[in-house]
Amino acid sequence: MNYKHAYHAGNFADVVKHILLVQLLNQLGQKNKPFYVLDAYGGRGLYSLSSEEARKTGEAKGGIQALLQADTEKAPAAVKDYMEGIKQARFTYDNKVYPGSPWWVAHHIEKNPEAGVRGEAFEAKATEYDALNYQLHKLPIGIQHRDAFEGITAVIPPKEKRGLIFLDPPYEQEHKDFTRLINLLVSAYNKWPQGTYALWFPIKNMEAVELFYKKLKRTEMRRQLVCELNIYPNDVAVGLNGTGLLVINPPWQFDNHAREILRFLQPALKVADAPDLTPDSATNVRWLVGE
Ligand SMILES: C[S@@+](CC[C@H](N)C(=O)[O-])C[C@H]1O[C@@H](n2cnc3c(N)ncnc32)[C@H](O)[C@@H]1O
């Protein structure tokens, strides 16, 4: 496990992923019934954009820094909530912090103390787990040094009978990882078919993504939605052309909200050397299976 999220924290993929996470949490919270959230690949929880790693890649410039420059007055509600969250994290910690997914889960729970939401995060790598535990131990989220491949199926179905399993793996071996993750989702779905599952995936090798979709369609999982935002066309060789989120059993109308969010974000996150991409051509929210 060589992956270190500190190099990528706050990049365009993180921004899109965390805003869609906020949207999912908000929608799950609308029913006023307790629910469970598991962030199965937690990372460190908080990142400094002035760290050596962040400065080396400069990726946050095309993500959170770009969005902070944009006019968000007419943004969808989840984008506004996310911007408020960033402001609060910066006020609480410092002006260079970028909060990771477990922080967003804990933040949702803190904001809705009466809602009975139970949050947990797993992190398998010892150094990242230590950082996560140290940084978020005062927040309302349970933190475990645990492998998602063993842990997810062990903790579901949750006693709340509703909830979200959020998966944000590092994809160190893309082809193999896609297959292993589909198998993991299928095992989890078989144990808890009513759960909502959101899996982040990179869009860089279109062949790998198409194969991933093909294999997903062959599974028994009903209601599979994919949300994609590209910052480079598929045929340009860069580290990451786009960001994807697969959502199994999304809440009602999540597809419409996600479409609106991605179309809003696209102009703010677009890169200067891919000027032809538009909200229409660079974003896509569609059902792979069912609806
Ligand atoms: C992309 S990062 C997570 C970033 C985080 N979700 C966020 O948005 O802030 C992936 C993390 O998963 C951890 N990891 C890798 N394999 C894992 C596994 N099998 N189970 C749990 N965590 C794992 C890595 O150490 C890394 O910190």
Side-chain angles (χ1 to χ4, degrees):
M1 287 200 291
N2 293 320
Y3 181 88
K4 265 184 100 176
H5 195 65
Y7 288 103
H8 312 294
N11 69 2
F12 80 98
D14 255 11
V15 168
V16 174
K17 171 200 307 174
H18 294 149
I19 292 174
L20 293 176
L21 172 61
V22 168
Q23 177 65 35
L24 283 168
L25 294 170
N26 286 350
Q27 284 195 249
L28 281 163
Q30 272 165 10
K31 274 206 172 157
N32 281 333
K33 284 188 191 154
F35 67 91
Y36 172 67
V37 194
L38 171 65
D39 185 354
Y41 294 79
R44 302 176 78 82
L46 296 171
Y47 300 87
S48 171
L49 297 184
S50 56
S51 70
E52 202 181 318
E53 291 93 338
R55 280 187 289 118
K56 190 166 177 187
T57 62
E59 287 187 19
K61 284 194 201 109
I64 183 59
Q65 316 285 42
L67 188 58
L68 284 167
Q69 306 295 319
D71 179 0
T72 49
E73 206 186 300
K74 293 197 177 123
V79 177
K80 287 192 171 164
D81 286 351
Y82 168 87
M83 299 306 274
E84 272 302 311
I86 294 285
K87 216 166 152 188
Q88 188 181 320
R90 293 191 161 187
F91 178 76
T92 310
Y93 306 102
D94 68 75
N95 217 24
K96 290 283 182 190
V97 83
Y98 184 79
S101 52
W103 186 90
W104 289 103
V105 172
H107 179 60
H108 178 87
I109 296 172
E110 265 190 332
K111 281 202 315 186
N112 301 279
E114 308 299 325
V117 184
R118 183 167 62 98
E120 288 188 307
F122 294 165
E123 171 54 53
K125 190 172 173 174
T127 51
E128 301 300 277
Y129 162 76
D130 285 344
L132 176 61
N133 204 20
Y134 175 75
Q135 301 197 110
L136 298 199
H137 73 278
K138 286 193 181 144
L139 300 188
I141 183 164
I143 294 162
Q144 298 185 37
H145 187 196
R146 198 161 184 178
D147 185 323
F149 281 88
E150 168 278 320
I152 292 178
T153 47
V155 300
I156 58 168
K159 61 177 190 280
E160 294 82 357
K161 297 198 178 78
R162 310 175 58 229
L164 168 68
I165 311 297
F166 188 72
L167 301 94
D168 182 17
Y171 293 91
E172 287 176 297
Q173 296 171 291
E174 209 176 346
H175 274 285
K176 264 196 197 161
D177 285 336
F178 275 134
T179 307
R180 290 176 71 208
L181 287 159
I182 292 175
N183 294 340
L184 173 60
L185 282 176
V186 167
S187 318
Y189 183 88
N190 285 340
K191 251 194 117 178
W192 187 32
Q194 298 79 13
T196 297
Y197 301 87
L199 169 68
W200 180 81
F201 59 92
I203 302 177
K204 49 184 169 187
N205 172 347
M206 260 336 269
E207 239 174 67
V209 174
E210 290 301 341
L211 190 62
F212 173 56
Y213 288 170
K214 206 165 156 185
K215 286 185 178 167
L216 279 165
K217 284 188 197 167
R218 287 200 209 116
T219 68
E220 299 287 306
M221 296 186 289
R222 314 308 336 145
R223 305 195 66 240
Q224 302 186 32
L225 182 81
V226 286
C227 311
E228 307 170 343
L229 184 148
N230 289 296
I231 58 164
Y232 285 99
N234 293 332
D235 54 357
V236 176
V238 284
L240 195 61
N241 298 65
T243 178
L245 192 74
L246 164 75
V247 188
I248 315 279
N249 294 332
W252 187 64
Q253 298 233 321
F254 175 79
D255 50 346
N256 291 331
H257 290 293
R259 203 167 284 122
E260 193 197 356
I261 289 168
L262 297 190
R263 282 167 165 267
F264 176 83
L265 292 176
Q266 192 273 341
L269 301 178
K270 73 187 292 184
V271 292
D273 40 349
D276 296 339
L277 289 182
T278 61
D280 260 352
S281 63
T283 70
N284 196 1
V285 174
R286 67 190 167 99
W287 291 93
L288 270 189
V289 180
E291 71 178 81

